[in-house]
Amino acid sequence: VPVDPFDLVVFGATGDLARRKLIPALYHRLHDGQMPEGARIIAAARRDLDDEGYRDIASRALDEFVEAAALDEKTRDRFLRSIGYVQVDVESDDGWDALAKALPPADGRPRVFYLSVAPRHFGIIAEKVHRAGLSDSDSRIVIEKPLGHDLASAQELNDCFSGHFEERQIYRIDHYLGKETVQNLMALRFANALFEPLWNARHVDHVQITVAEKVGVEGRGAYYDEMGAMRDMAQNHLLQLLCLIAMEPPARLEPDEVRDEKLKVLRALAPLTDPESVVRGQYARTNGSPSYTEDVGHPGSRTESFVALKAEVANWRWSGVPFYLRTGKRLRTRVSEIAVVFKEAPHSIFPPASGRAGNNVLAIRLQPDEGITLGMTIKEPGPGGMRLTSAELDMTFADTLGATKLRMPDAYERLVMDVVRGDQTLFMRGDEVEAAWAWIDPIIALWDERGDRPISYDQGSSGPEDALMLMHRDGRRWREIA
Ligand code: BG6
């Protein structure tokens, strides 16, 4: 469904995020007929370029980041013609008049300001946009992590918009919420009557959330070394996934109803006071491949490239159900998965020789091979008597829906169009971001206090041994990352 014509101003338009994600996402939306004729993209950055100069950059970004099958010259041409460039220095007054001139009259067209810049510029841009009279009460502002590095800085960030933009105008991206399978999680939970009766402490043994990456810090060493896995991944992506699993059904699929429920989950997280419940790791030099400290060029760094933890949502629904979370870089493979592990059958009628019935596991696979599987115990086929074995009901979307033909859209495609439509459901509200930091901060403070180093792990492994122990101690185990 096409959206209304819009004006999108991208600050930091020559940067990595814009080239890698935004430009390709917008191209796809035009290609698929969702971005209408008359929509305008205004690229703004400090570099001295003209329209043609920026269009060259955008065109190269398409070659690099859009699959060849989706590139056709007619669409490319139309797309590039919808882009203009304005040289703006966000720290001075240079370029703001030109930006005002480049913007067509709002006339009810949604105006979106996408701040693809370092967070220290957020406040000043919001203020200048406002002062230059470029925004109205229908304008939107889009920002992205890092949304602070602790509670205090997150509050400061939230405050920097006040007076210029209201909460309903601020779109905080967590790109995990735009992933197809993550949205599917809501459909799975709230469009099927099957799971809800089981979705609680009586029937769920535990939940595992894994976001494993094969890549390292990829040229973002300076940023990453300041953040570490806890701030870079756990505070946002992992906790957002946890919220979607743990939240109560909202009454309606309305932005604030969904976000109210997620906020309640974040506020229900029990403080993590037991140091044994958190494991930090750092990848070591392995078979000649540089270590984390070598990658970031900081020999004594204590920053973690891996974190595993056991969280508890202290409310009626989840009391006593551990949520095990882990994420790390340079692990064996790239996989993001949520597994809801149900309790064993209460009583076994089978003789010991039949083997053990396993736990039913509902696994939601975010990437790669998006899909949902349900692990079951069945009888091993054959005349050998009653032997139990495990099998999976497998709904890999590519097979079930022919999704390879459909193409899985990138999270940004969905999210940018949601901004234009004015739908905040898949964006984090300021109080959610703050609640997440409020839970994370004491854990990091504890590390700082103890001053110990993260545990080394080999690249290509599944993380430090201690992370396995985190579950073994509870008589449970992580699912294989393969
Ligand atoms: C980003 C993190 O938010 O998410 C990166 O800053 C990480 O460190 C990335 O690599 C992972 O995203 P995806 O979509 O590739 O799983």
Side-chain angles (χ1 to χ4, degrees), residues 145 175-176 179 213 220 223 232-233 237 329 334 367:
K145 58 180 281 201
H175 79 282
Y176 264 61
K179 289 187 190 275
E213 294 188 281
R220 297 155 74 225
Y223 156 83
D232 182 51
M233 298 291 285
H237 308 323
K329 295 207 181 276
R334 173 176 188 247
Q367 58 196 27

Side-chain angles (χ1 to χ4, degrees), residues 97-128:
D97 287 342
L99 182 59
K101 282 204 200 92
L103 272 166
D107 271 346
R109 291 160 66 95
R111 228 177 233 190
V112 179
F113 299 94
Y114 199 114
L115 276 44
S116 185
V117 295
R120 65 174 187 283
H121 299 308
F122 289 174
I124 187 88
I125 295 179
E127 192 189 315
K128 291 196 171 186

